[in-house]
Amino acid sequence: MPNTQIQVGILGATGFTGCELVGLLLRHPRAEIAWLSSESQPGTAYGKVYPQYLGRLPPQVEKMRSFEDVKATVPDVVFSCLPHGASAECAAPFLMNGKTIVIDLSADFRLKDPKAYAEAYAHTHPMPERLKESRYGLCEVHGGEIKGARLIANPGCYPTSAILPLYPLIRDGVVSPDGIIIDAKSGVSGAGKKPTETTHYVMANESVTAYGVGDKHRHRWEIIEQLSLAAGRKLDLLFTAHLIPMERGILSTIYCDLADGKTAALAEACLRKQYEGSDFVRIREDFPRTGDVKHSNFCHMKVYQPAGGRKLIIVSVIDNMVKGASGQALQNMNIALGLPETLGLA
Amino acid sequence: MPNTQIQVGILGATGFTGCELVGLLLRHPRAEIAWLSSESQPGTAYGKVYPQYLGRLPPQVEKMRSFEDVKATVPDVVFSCLPHGASAECAAPFLMNGKTIVIDLSADFRLKDPKAYAEAYAHTHPMPERLKESRYGLCEVHGGEIKGARLIANPGCYPTSAILPLYPLIRDGVVSPDGIIIDAKSGVSGAGKKPTETTHYVMANESVTAYGVGDKHRHRWEIIEQLSLAAGRKLDLLFTAHLIPMERGILSTIYCDLADGKTAALAEACLRKQYEGSDFVRIREDFPRTGDVKHSNFCHMKVYQPAGGRKLIIVSVIDNMVKGASGQALQNMNIALGLPETLGLA
Amino acid sequence: MPNTQIQVGILGATGFTGCELVGLLLRHPRAEIAWLSSESQPGTAYGKVYPQYLGRLPPQVEKMRSFEDVKATVPDVVFSCLPHGASAECAAPFLMNGKTIVIDLSADFRLKDPKAYAEAYAHTHPMPERLKESRYGLCEVHGGEIKGARLIANPGCYPTSAILPLYPLIRDGVVSPDGIIIDAKSGVSGAGKKPTETTHYVMANESVTAYGVGDKHRHRWEIIEQLSLAAGRKLDLLFTAHLIPMERGILSTIYCDLADGKTAALAEACLRKQYEGSDFVRIREDFPRTGDVKHSNFCHMKVYQPAGGRKLIIVSVIDNMVKGASGQALQNMNIALGLPETLGLA
Amino acid sequence: MPNTQIQVGILGATGFTGCELVGLLLRHPRAEIAWLSSESQPGTAYGKVYPQYLGRLPPQVEKMRSFEDVKATVPDVVFSCLPHGASAECAAPFLMNGKTIVIDLSADFRLKDPKAYAEAYAHTHPMPERLKESRYGLCEVHGGEIKGARLIANPGCYPTSAILPLYPLIRDGVVSPDGIIIDAKSGVSGAGKKPTETTHYVMANESVTAYGVGDKHRHRWEIIEQLSLAAGRKLDLLFTAHLIPMERGILSTIYCDLADGKTAALAEACLRKQYEGSDFVRIREDFPRTGDVKHSNFCHMKVYQPAGGRKLIIVSVIDNMVKGASGQALQNMNIALGLPETLGLA
């Protein structure tokens, strides 16, 4: 990288992930926001939408621009915080300019298999020809493929919490690829900014509910594809999401089977080896709280084997807005550009 | 009252106050729900909207009806949970049938002065000719006028918490009618069921905000009219509302001046006398929490005089959905019909 | 029962379950509180501890008494809200008076097997000779054995949410007794009234944590004993509890296997048959929220079979303080005395 | 400052303000933590107490030391997060070494008047001889006196939110020094880490309560002293604190009188002039939420004059743990050392 500041554009900056990203970028010593785009409120000052940024952005950045207005610019990096479908479409001009690195926080480039995408997202893939070059940006697992990439698919929040522990365990044959159950609990920010009955305070507060039960949640396809990659063969699993009354955080409780001859100690050793020296992953001796990783890019996990069986229980926690979205996106930028991974994230 | 069950209709049953009222009526030993109306979802089962009532209502009640469909019925009591404006309009046929008691939870009949109404609610009063006969249903203050009334205006939530302590103190000349400041804090249910940016969990949670500051909140006109009545002359006051991250509850912190020669002890004595034997008002020795009155029809209050001045501070708490809305509405029904005030509310 | 009011004593009234029980009893048309006992604060007014009850109890009841002071009284019913160990001990004189019905909210009489008790509670059982006569008070499952019983063990909160759906499914051979996983989520009131690091607002709020993971939680022994009864043979299972940031409510997500030849439709039919006409159990078509049963004695549940396997997922919700504790205790009283089950609970 | 890293010690690191400070220091590009002390848990790893810091501190720092063990060290800066009384005592050796800058987050050096201290804190001042040299570290108001200071008293959380708007308004004669009422609302972290009945989740959640009403809160003395300084004469005021169900944030609603001939426009102009170019203070056109400043060192404020009177209402918000404690402490370090004020805080 040259020594000048990295120019960054954000597509769809008014959503929660855009807001989180702006905050992280303001702390990043090498990045500079070039523009923020919004289709719903172009021309509006960002500080009107998120008063925490009042007077913290230069005037020409603070005033949000439309996609039409920014699509011919050539920033070093573009983060897309747009919804799936729209995201691939708006990423196109930046992918084609031959210079900009695109980091897509939507689901558009996460699944290599366009048929799985069509099944999960209920529409055909908008740009299947780019799937080959896209990199799945789970930094601690696929970091080697991210350096120098031009198109990075930032992982989903639930998948990040589940794949980080399961990928190495399955890849190394410590855990059986069959019969995995992931029971995940998430804060409400994961439901997005749009006011709905579900996100109404009186409905979400003092209540817990299950959704996307068993085989219905979109993130399940993403977890299956990644863990099948780890297993070297197609696997299947159950995933259930729960909405709990807090703003941010995901805790995944994972039930799986130790492979023949394997023990919890071997499982822990496998994870310690994978994440030795990792900036952001910690193997815990006690069970982690999501509070331990709130507003941070960390993932904490613990493995435990109950007496009298081959079941292994893994508990893994992240902040869905940071490691599960904007923090990992920034980590991907750092890796892609060859910067220290922790820049702006420590 | 005859010994048969009291037939009750609820207009606009899908809002939060309607939901609360249904729950209270199911516990009332003398009341029977005749119908529930909804303009937005007629024909829908009530248990679809509020699953807590699944299988707890007879089929013909569970299926909500339109206003058109119920307007010619003659229940003993109709509660209107409709928004202001619409409420007066839909109350009309029941007022005209010569039998039904109408208890209006909207603001339509609270203010005797239609000019104040027009100022507060930004439209002319829909039915000024009925204002004379309507009774302001603050039970512990105006109970005597409610017995036998045909049209009862159920007080607003903030006004209930503020007028209960201030009315007797001003009426008895213990507190000066001038310079009163009411700083009130409310849970989010007061903002209603419609999903908005303000009621989104991520915005409302872990945050407090002021709104309707000083002279802007609609409930201020209601408090002014009632306390002017107590004072025997027009007064003015400041009222500021705050939204705090909880479902229900209002705490009002009231700053006022003791009248010449009056003391905190006299203020407390005045309140104890007013509420001696009251089923629902308690004068506390320590400062009350809203948690103390959650899901109940009680109002707890305490007076305190800081050293070195004439200021009196009053802290008053209610549940905005019960004493501040549906509970007091039911209390009004009990009083109007000559039943024990606590029926269904203890 | 005679037509006079049922005299009720509460041992250990200052805990959360005691508080909830007092509120329910105040609404019960046939019950009258005879005394409240407290070992930590005898002589203190109950309204000092729980201001919601200020002025709602007769003076001789409001002033709490010591166990020594009440042990020779002979109320119709004694509820023990004491901790395990102490509970059996203090129940003894009432069991021996030949008249009082004892409903124990602690774990002391829940397990028929004193060895399981010793394992789960880390001390020998204080009164194994009474285990034979005690009845496990899961009303909708064991109601028939409760009528006329003198010693009723009120079920634990987690067990109530798990056994209600699983008992009939296992008993009728619809679901395999092997390999069951229960992933449960509870509000903080379940942790009791004592201030600890875990229950500190700043620790519990905006965080979720797993505890009693896999094979460690005391309630697991209770679930195993009951479901083994249903299966007609000893079974084993995994149970994991989670603490989530809300006051009350439990949601259990249960993963189990359909027996050979069985389907989700048969599972649902089995539950509908079991709970047909039940006052408090509802089989849902959509997934329930704990908010749907908040402050009520209901249990809502739904079964769902994901595509491509034999797994059945059951989601079940209760209010841990009502159906999971004091509400079910009162329901047990109603049943034991031959009163309508819903008295004071509708 | 030399170009080497600034060596920092933290006394009493296990409290909430210590925890917050460690997080901020880890992001500060020029600071390095030399040691963390704890009287309650010396020898314990900091990551055991706060798992978010696991593996983020060098081993010799992570293991907490006792005061005895660190008192002879000479770091560039010592932050004291100890309780009042103990704080002054433990600061002594560092004040005497002639080099270390002491930034005290307790109340020990905030009040210049030891009599006011004795009244507010109910014991005589432990070190009155140092009061003369201590600087009250309200950065935006007293920044000029902080540069080069050796002993800085970090302001209280409530005082920060109240004095920032009121100091310039009173100093410039825009607002009358008499009759000020401050009605403040705070999250629970302000109550400290010790588990108590008040901080129990079930008590603090879904409830609001008033405390330190009128003339009782310790922070009132601090606000009075500072505003008397602004007024050039002794003034008096009312201050009431409220505990609301959130982790962090303070909103102060301030009621005061415009001086003769002054207007809200002049008040706003006074504040805009005072905070023009300020890194952390914003004058808002709409009313701020505490959510707008969560996890930041900002203070947002708005002035408003209701119609028909001379009252001015000011709403001011901060994060009590950042601008109200550890963030402002770090800002004080930056100023004292001549570093950019925003270092580690942007």
Side-chain angles (χ1 to χ4, degrees):
Chain A
M1 279 301 297
N3 269 332
T4 55
Q5 292 298 82
I6 300 150
Q7 298 300 310
V8 173
I10 301 180
L11 291 167
T14 55
F16 286 155
T17 55
C19 174
E20 189 80 14
L21 197 50
V22 168
L24 292 169
L25 286 166
L26 284 175
R27 297 212 305 247
H28 195 288
R30 292 294 313 283
E32 191 170 285
I33 300 175
W35 47 256
L36 304 170
S37 92
S38 164
E39 290 315 280
S40 56
Q41 304 172 69
T44 303
Y46 200 60
K48 282 274 175 194
V49 183
Y50 291 113
Q52 59 262 51
Y53 298 123
L54 267 176
R56 298 174 69 186
L57 295 165
Q60 78 280 11
V61 174
E62 172 137 55
K63 190 175 164 185
M64 290 187 287
R65 295 164 71 178
S66 68
F67 170 65
E68 272 309 300
D69 193 31
V70 298
K71 70 179 182 186
T73 66
V74 188
D76 299 304
V77 177
V78 162
F79 292 96
S80 174
C81 298
L82 292 165
H84 60 86
S87 196
E89 209 176 310
C90 295
F94 302 102
L95 290 171
M96 286 186 292
N97 72 23
K99 172 160 183 294
T100 301
I101 294 169
V102 173
I103 300 172
D104 184 9
L105 283 81
S106 90
D108 279 349
F109 299 103
R110 292 178 192 160
L111 295 166
K112 290 291 176 194
D113 177 4
K115 269 181 278 177
Y117 180 93
E119 214 182 324
Y121 294 90
H123 58 81
T124 56
H125 196 281
M127 207 181 290
E129 67 278 12
R130 291 279 182 184
L131 289 174
K132 208 169 159 186
E133 72 178 281
S134 79
R135 298 289 168 263
Y136 187 73
L138 191 67
C139 306
E140 285 78 9
V141 169
H142 298 301
E145 305 164 29
I146 293 161
K147 186 160 181 180
R150 285 274 327 279
L151 173 54
I152 300 165
N154 206 55
C157 51
Y158 286 121
T160 296
S161 75
I163 303 170
L164 281 176
L166 284 172
Y167 196 100
L169 291 172
I170 291 174
R171 181 199 58 206
D172 293 358
V174 181
V175 150
S176 162
D178 298 315
I180 295 168
I181 293 172
I182 301 164
D183 188 285
K185 297 92 181 162
S186 171
V188 183
S189 58
K193 203 193 174 187
K194 201 184 154 189
T196 65
E197 200 180 332
T198 303
T199 61
H200 192 299
Y201 186 85
V202 173
M203 293 299 281
N205 186 46
E206 286 288 308
S207 190
V208 48
T209 189
Y211 70 102
V213 176
D215 56 357
K216 289 181 186 163
H217 198 286
R218 289 160 167 180
H219 284 178
R220 181 172 153 268
W221 278 266
E222 189 179 336
I223 302 171
I224 286 176
E225 188 174 289
Q226 285 295 314
L227 296 186
S228 295
L229 207 64
R233 69 162 166 87
K234 185 87 172 96
L235 59 76
D236 199 12
L237 53 79
L238 294 181
F239 171 83
T240 297
H242 298 79
L243 195 66
I244 63 174
M246 58 187 205
E247 182 194 323
R248 48 172 78 207
I250 284 178
L251 183 145
S252 286
T253 312
I254 302 168
Y255 303 89
C256 53
D257 290 290
L258 284 164
D260 283 349
K262 303 297 181 182
T263 62
L266 286 170
E268 187 170 332
C270 164
L271 292 173
R272 289 201 181 276
K273 192 176 158 210
Q274 173 79 18
Y275 297 116
E276 195 172 30
S278 157
D279 289 311
F280 296 119
V281 180
R282 296 287 178 270
I283 317 303
R284 294 276 294 267
E285 288 169 23
D286 53 348
F287 287 95
R289 303 159 59 242
T290 58
D292 297 339
V293 296
K294 200 159 47 174
H295 289 281
S296 91
N297 200 49
F298 282 79
C299 174
H300 285 201
M301 59 182 74
K302 162 151 182 79
V303 298
Y304 175 71
Q305 182 182 12
R310 306 213 48 73
K311 281 285 174 201
L312 188 74
I313 302 179
I314 311 168
V315 173
S316 154
V317 297
I318 60 167
D319 184 316
N320 60 311
M321 297 302 292
V322 188
K323 185 63 178 171
S326 306
Q328 184 152 252
L330 199 60
Q331 190 182 356
N332 273 312
M333 180 190 93
N334 288 341
I335 297 175
L337 295 171
L339 299 168
E341 228 168 294
T342 56
L343 227 53
L345 289 167
Chain B
M1 279 301 298
N3 269 331
T4 56
Q5 291 298 82
I6 301 150
Q7 297 301 309
V8 173
I10 302 181
L11 291 167
T14 56
F16 286 154
T17 53
C19 174
E20 190 79 14
L21 197 49
V22 169
L24 293 170
L25 286 166
L26 284 174
R27 296 212 306 249
H28 195 288
R30 293 292 314 283
E32 190 170 286
I33 301 176
W35 47 255
L36 304 170
S37 90
S38 164
E39 289 316 279
S40 55
Q41 305 173 70
T44 302
Y46 200 60
K48 282 273 175 194
V49 183
Y50 291 113
Q52 59 263 51
Y53 298 122
L54 268 176
R56 298 173 70 186
L57 296 164
Q60 77 280 10
V61 173
E62 171 137 55
K63 190 175 163 185
M64 290 186 286
R65 295 164 71 177
S66 68
F67 169 66
E68 272 308 300
D69 193 30
V70 299
K71 69 179 182 185
T73 66
V74 187
D76 299 304
V77 178
V78 162
F79 292 97
S80 173
C81 298
L82 292 164
H84 60 87
S87 195
E89 209 175 312
C90 296
F94 302 101
L95 289 171
M96 286 185 292
N97 72 22
K99 173 162 182 294
T100 301
I101 293 169
V102 173
I103 299 173
D104 183 8
L105 283 82
S106 89
D108 278 348
F109 299 103
R110 292 178 192 158
L111 295 166
K112 289 291 176 194
D113 177 4
K115 269 181 277 176
Y117 180 92
E119 214 182 325
Y121 294 92
H123 58 80
T124 56
H125 196 281
M127 207 181 290
E129 67 278 12
R130 290 280 182 184
L131 290 174
K132 208 169 160 186
E133 72 179 280
S134 79
R135 296 290 169 262
Y136 187 73
L138 191 68
C139 306
E140 284 79 8
V141 169
H142 298 301
E145 305 164 30
I146 294 162
K147 186 160 182 181
R150 286 273 328 277
L151 172 55
I152 299 166
N154 206 55
C157 51
Y158 287 121
T160 297
S161 74
I163 302 169
L164 280 175
L166 284 172
Y167 196 100
L169 292 172
I170 290 174
R171 181 199 59 207
D172 293 359
V174 181
V175 150
S176 163
D178 298 314
I180 294 168
I181 294 172
I182 302 164
D183 188 285
K185 298 91 181 161
S186 171
V188 183
S189 58
K193 204 194 174 187
K194 201 183 153 189
T196 64
E197 199 181 332
T198 302
T199 60
H200 192 298
Y201 185 85
V202 174
M203 291 300 282
N205 186 45
E206 286 289 306
S207 190
V208 49
T209 189
Y211 71 102
V213 176
D215 56 357
K216 289 182 185 161
H217 198 287
R218 288 160 168 182
H219 284 177
R220 182 173 153 267
W221 277 267
E222 189 178 336
I223 303 172
I224 286 176
E225 189 175 288
Q226 284 296 315
L227 297 185
S228 294
L229 207 62
R233 68 161 167 89
K234 185 87 173 95
L235 57 77
D236 199 11
L237 53 78
L238 294 180
F239 171 83
T240 296
H242 298 80
L243 195 67
I244 63 174
M246 58 187 205
E247 182 194 324
R248 49 172 77 208
I250 284 178
L251 182 146
S252 287
T253 312
I254 301 168
Y255 303 90
C256 53
D257 291 288
L258 284 164
D260 283 349
K262 302 298 180 182
T263 63
L266 287 171
E268 188 170 332
C270 164
L271 292 173
R272 289 201 181 276
K273 192 177 159 209
Q274 172 79 18
Y275 298 116
E276 195 172 30
S278 157
D279 289 311
F280 295 120
V281 179
R282 295 289 178 268
I283 316 303
R284 294 277 294 268
E285 287 168 23
D286 52 348
F287 287 96
R289 304 159 58 245
T290 58
D292 297 339
V293 295
K294 201 159 45 174
H295 289 281
S296 91
N297 200 50
F298 282 79
C299 174
H300 285 200
M301 59 182 74
K302 162 151 182 79
V303 298
Y304 176 70
Q305 182 182 12
R310 305 213 49 73
K311 281 285 173 201
L312 187 75
I313 302 179
I314 310 168
V315 173
S316 155
V317 297
I318 60 167
D319 183 316
N320 61 310
M321 297 304 290
V322 189
K323 185 62 179 171
S326 306
Q328 184 153 253
L330 199 59
Q331 191 182 356
N332 273 311
M333 180 190 92
N334 287 341
I335 297 175
L337 294 170
L339 299 168
E341 227 168 296
T342 56
L343 228 52
L345 289 167
Chain C
M1 281 299 299
N3 269 333
T4 55
Q5 292 297 84
I6 301 148
Q7 297 300 310
V8 173
I10 301 181
L11 291 166
T14 56
F16 287 154
T17 55
C19 175
E20 190 78 14
L21 197 49
V22 169
L24 293 170
L25 286 166
L26 284 175
R27 296 212 304 248
H28 195 288
R30 292 292 313 284
E32 191 170 284
I33 301 175
W35 47 255
L36 303 170
S37 91
S38 164
E39 289 317 279
S40 55
Q41 305 173 69
T44 303
Y46 200 58
K48 283 271 175 195
V49 183
Y50 291 113
Q52 58 261 50
Y53 298 123
L54 267 175
R56 298 173 70 186
L57 296 163
Q60 79 280 12
V61 174
E62 171 137 56
K63 190 177 165 184
M64 291 187 286
R65 297 163 69 176
S66 67
F67 169 67
E68 272 308 300
D69 192 31
V70 299
K71 69 180 182 186
T73 66
V74 188
D76 300 303
V77 178
V78 162
F79 293 96
S80 173
C81 298
L82 292 165
H84 60 87
S87 196
E89 208 175 311
C90 295
F94 303 101
L95 289 170
M96 286 186 292
N97 71 22
K99 173 161 181 293
T100 301
I101 294 170
V102 173
I103 300 173
D104 182 9
L105 284 81
S106 90
D108 279 350
F109 299 104
R110 292 178 192 160
L111 295 165
K112 289 291 175 194
D113 177 4
K115 268 181 278 175
Y117 180 93
E119 213 181 326
Y121 294 91
H123 58 81
T124 55
H125 195 282
M127 206 180 291
E129 67 279 10
R130 290 279 182 185
L131 289 175
K132 209 170 159 185
E133 73 179 278
S134 79
R135 297 290 170 261
Y136 186 74
L138 190 67
C139 306
E140 284 79 8
V141 169
H142 298 301
E145 304 164 30
I146 293 161
K147 187 162 182 178
R150 285 274 326 280
L151 172 54
I152 300 166
N154 206 54
C157 50
Y158 287 121
T160 296
S161 74
I163 302 169
L164 280 176
L166 284 170
Y167 196 99
L169 292 172
I170 290 174
R171 180 199 59 206
D172 293 0
V174 180
V175 150
S176 163
D178 299 314
I180 294 168
I181 294 172
I182 301 164
D183 188 284
K185 299 90 182 161
S186 172
V188 183
S189 58
K193 203 192 173 187
K194 200 183 156 191
T196 65
E197 199 180 333
T198 302
T199 61
H200 192 298
Y201 186 85
V202 174
M203 292 300 280
N205 186 46
E206 285 289 305
S207 191
V208 49
T209 190
Y211 70 101
V213 176
D215 57 357
K216 290 181 185 162
H217 198 286
R218 289 161 168 181
H219 284 177
R220 182 173 153 267
W221 278 267
E222 188 178 337
I223 303 171
I224 286 175
E225 188 173 289
Q226 284 295 315
L227 296 186
S228 295
L229 207 63
R233 67 161 167 88
K234 184 88 171 97
L235 58 78
D236 199 10
L237 53 80
L238 295 180
F239 172 84
T240 297
H242 298 81
L243 195 66
I244 63 175
M246 57 188 205
E247 181 193 323
R248 48 171 78 207
I250 284 179
L251 183 145
S252 287
T253 312
I254 303 169
Y255 303 89
C256 54
D257 291 289
L258 285 164
D260 283 348
K262 302 298 180 183
T263 63
L266 287 170
E268 188 170 330
C270 165
L271 293 172
R272 288 199 181 276
K273 192 176 158 209
Q274 173 78 19
Y275 297 116
E276 195 173 31
S278 157
D279 288 312
F280 295 120
V281 180
R282 295 287 177 271
I283 317 302
R284 293 278 294 268
E285 290 170 19
D286 53 347
F287 286 95
R289 305 157 58 243
T290 58
D292 298 338
V293 296
K294 200 159 46 174
H295 289 282
S296 92
N297 199 49
F298 282 79
C299 174
H300 286 201
M301 59 182 73
K302 163 153 182 75
V303 299
Y304 176 71
Q305 182 183 12
R310 305 213 49 73
K311 280 286 173 202
L312 188 74
I313 303 179
I314 310 168
V315 173
S316 154
V317 297
I318 59 166
D319 183 316
N320 61 309
M321 298 302 291
V322 189
K323 184 63 178 169
S326 307
Q328 186 154 249
L330 198 60
Q331 190 182 357
N332 273 311
M333 180 190 94
N334 288 340
I335 297 174
L337 294 170
L339 299 169
E341 226 168 295
T342 56
L343 228 51
L345 288 167
Chain D
M1 280 301 297
N3 270 333
T4 54
Q5 292 297 82
I6 301 150
Q7 298 300 310
V8 173
I10 301 180
L11 291 166
T14 56
F16 286 154
T17 55
C19 175
E20 189 79 15
L21 197 50
V22 168
L24 292 169
L25 286 166
L26 284 174
R27 295 213 306 247
H28 195 287
R30 293 292 315 283
E32 193 170 284
I33 300 175
W35 47 256
L36 303 170
S37 90
S38 164
E39 289 317 278
S40 55
Q41 305 173 70
T44 303
Y46 200 60
K48 283 271 175 196
V49 183
Y50 291 113
Q52 59 261 50
Y53 298 122
L54 267 176
R56 297 173 70 186
L57 295 164
Q60 79 281 9
V61 175
E62 173 138 54
K63 190 176 165 186
M64 290 187 287
R65 297 164 69 179
S66 68
F67 170 66
E68 272 309 299
D69 193 29
V70 298
K71 69 179 183 186
T73 66
V74 187
D76 300 303
V77 177
V78 162
F79 292 96
S80 173
C81 298
L82 293 165
H84 60 87
S87 195
E89 208 175 313
C90 295
F94 302 102
L95 289 171
M96 287 187 292
N97 71 22
K99 173 162 181 294
T100 300
I101 294 170
V102 173
I103 299 174
D104 183 8
L105 282 82
S106 89
D108 279 349
F109 299 103
R110 291 178 192 160
L111 295 166
K112 289 292 174 192
D113 176 5
K115 269 180 278 175
Y117 180 94
E119 212 181 325
Y121 295 91
H123 59 80
T124 55
H125 195 281
M127 206 181 290
E129 66 279 13
R130 290 280 182 184
L131 289 174
K132 208 169 158 187
E133 72 179 280
S134 78
R135 297 288 168 264
Y136 186 74
L138 190 67
C139 306
E140 285 78 7
V141 169
H142 298 301
E145 304 164 31
I146 294 162
K147 186 159 183 181
R150 286 275 326 280
L151 173 54
I152 300 166
N154 206 55
C157 51
Y158 287 121
T160 296
S161 75
I163 303 170
L164 280 175
L166 283 171
Y167 196 99
L169 291 172
I170 290 174
R171 181 200 59 206
D172 294 359
V174 180
V175 150
S176 162
D178 298 315
I180 294 168
I181 294 172
I182 301 164
D183 189 285
K185 298 92 181 162
S186 172
V188 183
S189 58
K193 203 192 172 188
K194 201 183 156 192
T196 64
E197 199 181 332
T198 302
T199 62
H200 192 298
Y201 185 86
V202 174
M203 293 299 281
N205 187 46
E206 285 289 305
S207 191
V208 49
T209 190
Y211 71 101
V213 176
D215 57 357
K216 289 181 184 161
H217 198 286
R218 289 161 168 181
H219 283 178
R220 182 172 153 267
W221 279 266
E222 188 179 335
I223 302 172
I224 287 175
E225 187 174 290
Q226 285 295 316
L227 296 185
S228 295
L229 207 62
R233 67 163 167 88
K234 186 88 171 97
L235 59 77
D236 199 11
L237 54 80
L238 295 181
F239 172 84
T240 297
H242 298 81
L243 196 66
I244 63 174
M246 58 187 204
E247 182 194 322
R248 50 172 76 206
I250 285 178
L251 182 145
S252 287
T253 311
I254 303 168
Y255 302 89
C256 54
D257 290 290
L258 284 164
D260 283 348
K262 302 298 180 182
T263 63
L266 286 171
E268 187 170 331
C270 164
L271 292 172
R272 289 200 182 276
K273 192 176 157 208
Q274 173 79 19
Y275 297 116
E276 194 174 30
S278 157
D279 288 312
F280 295 118
V281 180
R282 296 287 177 269
I283 316 304
R284 294 277 295 269
E285 288 169 21
D286 51 349
F287 286 95
R289 304 159 57 244
T290 59
D292 298 337
V293 297
K294 200 159 47 175
H295 290 282
S296 91
N297 200 49
F298 282 79
C299 174
H300 286 201
M301 60 181 73
K302 164 153 181 75
V303 298
Y304 176 71
Q305 182 183 11
R310 305 214 48 75
K311 281 286 175 201
L312 188 74
I313 302 179
I314 309 169
V315 173
S316 154
V317 297
I318 60 167
D319 183 317
N320 61 311
M321 298 303 291
V322 189
K323 185 63 180 170
S326 306
Q328 185 153 252
L330 199 59
Q331 190 182 355
N332 273 312
M333 180 189 94
N334 288 340
I335 297 175
L337 293 170
L339 298 168
E341 227 167 293
T342 57
L343 227 51
L345 289 168

